[in-house]
Amino acid sequence: MSKIILITGGSTGIGKAIGEYLHNRGFTVYGTSRNPQNCANSVFPLLALDVRNAASIQHTIAEVIRISGRIDVVINNAGVGIVGPIEEIPTDEIRNHFETNLFGPIEVIKAVLPQMRDQKSGLIINITSIAGYMGLPYRGVYSASKGALELLTEAVRIETKPFGIEITNVAPGEFSTNIAAGRYHVPNSPGSAYRETYERTLNLINEQVGGGDDPIKMAQAIYKIINTPKPNGHYKVGPFMSRFSIVLKRILPDKLYERMLMKHYRL
């Protein structure tokens, strides 16, 4: 029987790549988008869902269950980027970011667990980020939201094991997507105390995204996890140096690692 898969944020980037890859391998895939009517070329159905709205989440998950009778895999992929000096990011924008990147996935998990518990099976894959393993300059809010999701997954993974449910994190490094187009970024005003260093860092971030890996590598990793009976709690996918940076953080003294990051970002 074809597994039923729901992917939040399935209209572009990593989510779209994952959905197409799984669809082409015989899975029944449903993606979501806040505005699915604007995505005419999707090879799998796109349902309306706003991860910042609990009622929207409940409605869409209920719709998938009504159509297919079950949900086997949920991929929490919907997310947004945010960059800027923490001092200058409006607090409302920080709250909005966490609503999407942290509270959204939490609400999706809470909405789907009763169905998976009834099935006595299910897999939830949270797409986090290698940035969630370290506080990156001018991406501190993004790092914090993804790091929080990593830790939350560790807890709920243990809580739900007695019900036959598996939950895991997949942390991508730099991938070539359009995340930069939709992220919030603090304007680099002439009077900012961070103007020079922020501009250098922002240019570097944009270069890394533009020259990142093909999202198909994320799709292949997700496919492998879905076909693993007992997946691990954490996976890292992306360029070697992105993944190795986590190892370095674990083994290097804090000040040495901090200097290494500052050198990388030309600070």
Side-chain angles (χ1 to χ4, degrees), residues 125-148:
I125 301 173
N126 293 326
I127 306 299
T128 59
S129 174
I130 285 177
Y133 284 82
M134 59 204 73
L136 297 178
Y138 302 112
R139 285 194 283 180
V141 174
Y142 182 78
S143 289
S145 69
K146 292 299 187 178

Side-chain angles (χ1 to χ4, degrees), residues 27-73:
F27 293 95
T28 301
V29 177
Y30 297 92
T32 76
S33 170
R34 281 183 291 176
N35 300 293
Q37 68 276 7
N38 297 336
C39 312
N41 298 321
S42 179
V43 300
F44 51 88
L46 284 174
L47 305 176
L49 185 147
D50 185 345
V51 296
R52 300 168 300 178
N53 185 308
S56 172
I57 292 168
Q58 292 282 353
H59 173 79
T60 300
I61 288 176
E63 183 69 4
V64 173
I65 295 169
R66 184 189 68 79
I67 296 169
S68 299
R70 61 189 293 117
I71 295 182
D72 298 298
V73 182

Side-chain angles (χ1 to χ4, degrees), residues 2 30 55 135 158 224 238 247:
S2 173
Y30 297 92
I158 296 170
K224 184 175 181 180
V247 178

